[in-house]
Amino acid sequence: MPKQLDVFFTSVSAATVSSMSTVEMEVFSNSQLVILTILMVLGGEVFTSFLEIQLARLKLSKHLPPTTAPDQIDHELTVVPHPDHLDTENGKKPGSDVNTQYLKYNSRRYLGHVVLGYFLVVHIVGSILIFMYVTIFSSARQVLKTKGIKTPTFSVFTTVSTFANCGFVPTNENMIVFKDNSGLLLLLIPQILLGNTLYPVFLRCTIRVLERITRKSEFSFLLRNHREMGYDHLLSGVHSAFLALTVLGFIFVQFVLFCAMEWNSDAMDGMNWYQRFVASLFEVVNSRHTGEFVVDISTISSAILVLFVIMMYLPPYTSFLPVKDENKVSTNSDISGKKGLLEYFTLSTISYLAVFVILICITEREKMKNDLVNFNVLNIIIEVTSAYGNVGFSTGYSCKRRLNQDGDCIDKWYGFAGRWSSMGKFILIVVMFFGRLKKYSMKGGKAWKLS
C-alpha cells in the first residue's frame, strides 16, 4: 500500500489535473480509480469555469426582483459595454435600457447551458469511442485483461483525464503500453485540444452554430458582447482565430523537431513509420498541458526536453499574434499610475519557479551527490515546470543510471518525484497548487524587470 503522503500527493495531482505521480497507478482499486475520476472532473478547467458561470448568475439574480419581467429589472444593474458593440435590432447600445440587462442575464444562462452540453457531449462520445475501440481491437483489450482493468472504467477514466488535461492513465506505463494502437492515440488527440488549448475556439464555433440554427438573440449577444460576459474562455472571433493558428504552429514546430531528433532513436524502437508518425504527433500535442506519453521521456534528447520545458511553461491561451488584452479592465489605480505595495514586491512567475528548484535542490542535496545522473538539475527543472504547468511529464528514475550499484533498487513506473524525500514531495504539492492558480499571479514581478 502507498504511504499516506503519496496518497495525498496523488489526490492533489488529480484535483489540480497535474498527473504527477509518486506511486504506480495499478496499485489503485477500481473504486479508488472512480474517486480519482471524480477529482479530475472537479478540477478540470471546463467544469470549474461552468461553476464560475453559475456563481456569477446566482450573484446577479440576488439583485433581481422576484419577478423576471424585463420592465422590473433594476436600472442600477445595467452595465455599459464597449461603444463599438451595438444592438443591431434596435440601434441602441447594449445596457442602455432595462431590456438589454435582462438579455445579458439570459445570455449568461444560455452560456452555462452551452458549456455544460459541451462538457457532457465530449465525455459521452469520447468514452463510447474508446470503449468501442478496446472492444473491437483484441490487442488493446488484452492489455486491460492482463492488468485486471475494467474496460468501462478505463474508457471513462481516460476520457475524463484527457479532456481535463490531467494525463493520468490507469496503466503503470501510461500510453506506452498502447504504442502500437495508433487508432486509440488518434481518438485521444482531439479530446486533448477540446479540453484546453483550443477550448475557446470550439466554444465560439459551438455558439455560432447554435445561433445559426436557433436564431436566438442570446447567442447573438454572446458573440457580439463576449467581454461583458466576464468569461475568460469566451474570446472574440479574431482572437480565437489567432489562438488556433498559434496552437497549430506550436504543434507543427514541435512535431518537425521531434521527428528530426527522435525518428530513429531508441524511444521509437519496434514501431513502423505510421506508428512513429502518430506517436510523435501524440507526444507533442501532450507537451502543452496534458502529459500523457507514448515514449519514455528519459530517452528523449536534451534539446527536445528543453523545448518541452518551454511548452509546459507557456499558459494555455498564449498567442504571439497581435491581439489586445480584451479581458483587462482599467481601474483608477492603473490610470493614475498608483499601484499597491504588494504588487511591487511580488516576484514574477519564473522567479517563483527558480525558488522552488533551489528549495528542492536543497532537500535532495544528498541524493544529488550520490546519484548524479538521475538527480541532475535538468530533471528537477523538468519536474518542477511540469508540476507548475499541470502537465505531468517526468523523466522518471532508472536504477541502471545509478553510479553506485550497491544495494537493492527496483525500477518503478512512476514519476521522478517518487524518489524524492517527503519534504521534496511537499514542495512539489505547493508547486501544483501554485500552477493551478497561476492566472492569479501572472501579473506579478513588475518591479523586478531589469530592462
Side-chain angles (χ1 to χ4, degrees):
M1 293 295 295
K3 299 178 181 179
Q4 291 184 354
L5 177 61
D6 292 328
V7 173
F8 177 68
F9 186 100
T10 305
S11 301
V12 172
S13 186
T16 59
V17 293
S18 302
S19 73
M20 307 300 294
S21 61
T22 57
V23 295
E24 293 181 321
M25 291 300 297
E26 292 176 23
V27 304
F28 297 112
S29 64
N30 189 75
S31 59
Q32 290 172 324
L33 291 177
V34 172
I35 294 175
L36 288 177
T37 303
I38 296 174
L39 290 175
M40 290 187 293
V41 169
L42 297 177
E45 184 63 29
V46 176
F47 183 79
T48 55
S49 67
F50 169 74
L51 296 181
E52 179 184 348
I53 295 174
Q54 302 310 309
L55 291 175
R57 278 189 56 223
L58 180 62
K59 182 179 180 180
L60 185 60
S61 64
K62 290 181 179 180
H63 298 278
L64 295 176
T67 177
T68 57
D71 58 347
Q72 297 186 21
I73 294 180
D74 191 352
H75 283 272
E76 293 180 358
L77 294 177
T78 301
V79 178
V80 180
H82 194 277
D84 294 338
H85 296 160
L86 298 178
D87 189 342
T88 57
E89 296 181 359
N90 53 27
K92 297 181 180 180
K93 295 180 180 180
S96 61
D97 52 27
V98 180
N99 290 335
T100 301
Q101 182 60 29
Y102 178 71
L103 179 61
K104 179 180 178 181
Y105 176 81
N106 236 12
S107 299
R108 194 183 296 273
R109 180 168 60 89
Y110 274 58
L111 178 61
H113 295 336
V114 172
V115 173
L116 180 60
Y118 183 97
F119 177 84
L120 293 176
V121 168
V122 174
H123 280 84
I124 293 173
V125 174
S127 299
I128 292 175
L129 290 177
I130 293 177
F131 182 85
M132 291 175 59
Y133 182 92
V134 174
T135 303
I136 294 173
F137 291 91
S138 58
S139 58
R141 186 172 64 252
Q142 185 61 33
V143 170
L144 298 184
K145 183 179 180 180
T146 303
K147 294 179 174 294
I149 302 173
K150 298 180 180 179
T151 301
T153 302
F154 174 82
S155 303
V156 175
F157 185 98
T158 305
T159 299
V160 170
S161 177
T162 304
F163 181 78
N165 276 210
C166 180
F168 272 147
V169 178
T171 60
N172 288 339
E173 305 90 345
N174 205 274
M175 296 304 296
I176 294 179
V177 72
F178 297 106
K179 65 180 181 180
D180 297 333
N181 299 104
S182 300
L184 180 59
L185 303 180
L186 291 175
L187 289 177
L188 295 178
I189 289 176
Q191 298 180 33
I192 297 170
L193 300 175
L194 287 170
N196 198 288
T197 51
L198 290 184
Y199 170 56
V201 179
F202 286 100
L203 176 63
R204 186 172 182 85
C205 291
T206 301
I207 296 175
R208 174 69 68 182
V209 171
L210 292 173
E211 188 264 340
R212 294 286 179 86
I213 295 175
T214 63
R215 301 293 180 181
K216 291 283 188 179
S217 59
E218 287 81 2
F219 293 125
S220 301
F221 188 87
L222 287 172
L223 294 174
R224 295 197 311 269
N225 304 276
H226 56 279
R227 196 183 312 176
E228 282 70 38
M229 291 296 100
Y231 187 59
D232 295 339
H233 308 288
L234 184 60
L235 308 178
S236 66
V238 175
H239 195 169
S240 299
F242 286 167
L243 176 62
L245 290 175
T246 303
V247 171
L248 296 178
F250 279 147
I251 292 175
F252 177 76
V253 171
Q254 290 184 90
F255 180 76
V256 172
L257 293 177
F258 189 89
C259 289
M261 298 290 295
E262 305 297 332
W263 190 263
N264 294 317
S265 65
D266 295 338
M268 296 291 187
D269 281 347
M271 301 184 189
N272 56 40
W273 72 268
Y274 175 70
Q275 292 170 344
R276 296 185 184 197
F277 179 90
V278 175
S280 300
L281 180 62
F282 182 82
E283 199 70 26
V284 300
V285 170
N286 276 274
S287 66
R288 287 294 300 276
H289 290 283
T290 308
E292 295 175 5
F293 53 92
V294 73
V295 298
D296 188 354
I297 303 297
S298 64
T299 62
I300 296 177
S301 61
S302 299
I304 299 299
L305 290 177
V306 173
L307 177 62
F308 282 173
V309 168
I310 297 174
M311 292 296 107
M312 291 187 293
Y313 176 77
L314 294 176
Y317 300 157
T318 298
S319 176
F320 287 123
L321 297 173
V323 175
K324 294 181 180 179
D325 187 1
E326 298 175 345
N327 294 322
K328 184 177 181 179
V329 180
S330 298
T331 61
N332 293 333
S333 62
D334 291 334
I335 295 175
S336 63
K338 297 180 180 179
K339 301 181 184 298
L341 186 63
L342 181 62
E343 185 177 356
Y344 277 111
F345 288 94
T346 303
L347 297 176
S348 63
T349 301
I350 196 169
S351 300
Y352 282 117
L353 293 183
V355 171
F356 287 133
V357 170
I358 292 172
L359 291 176
I360 292 174
C361 287
I362 293 175
T363 62
E364 312 304 318
R365 59 186 181 276
E366 292 300 325
K367 296 178 181 178
M368 293 182 71
K369 292 179 181 178
N370 301 323
D371 196 355
L372 297 175
V373 180
N374 283 300
F375 279 85
N376 61 71
V377 177
L378 177 59
N379 287 349
I380 294 176
I381 292 175
I382 292 172
E383 202 80 4
V384 172
T385 308
S386 181
Y388 166 76
N390 305 127
V391 180
F393 273 167
S394 177
T395 55
Y397 184 94
S398 175
C399 295
K400 296 179 180 179
R401 293 198 296 262
R402 294 194 311 166
L403 298 179
N404 185 5
Q405 294 295 330
D406 295 338
D408 295 332
C409 181
I410 302 176
D411 286 324
K412 297 289 184 178
W413 283 101
Y414 49 69
F416 178 41
R419 301 282 182 168
W420 294 6
S421 64
S422 298
M423 182 57 66
K425 293 177 183 178
F426 179 77
I427 294 174
L428 204 63
I429 289 174
V430 176
V431 176
M432 288 189 286
F433 277 118
F434 180 71
R436 189 65 183 91
L437 303 174
K438 65 172 68 71
K439 66 179 181 180
Y440 301 109
S441 61
M442 293 298 293
K443 296 182 181 179
K446 293 180 179 179
W448 297 92
K449 292 182 180 180
L450 303 179
S451 59

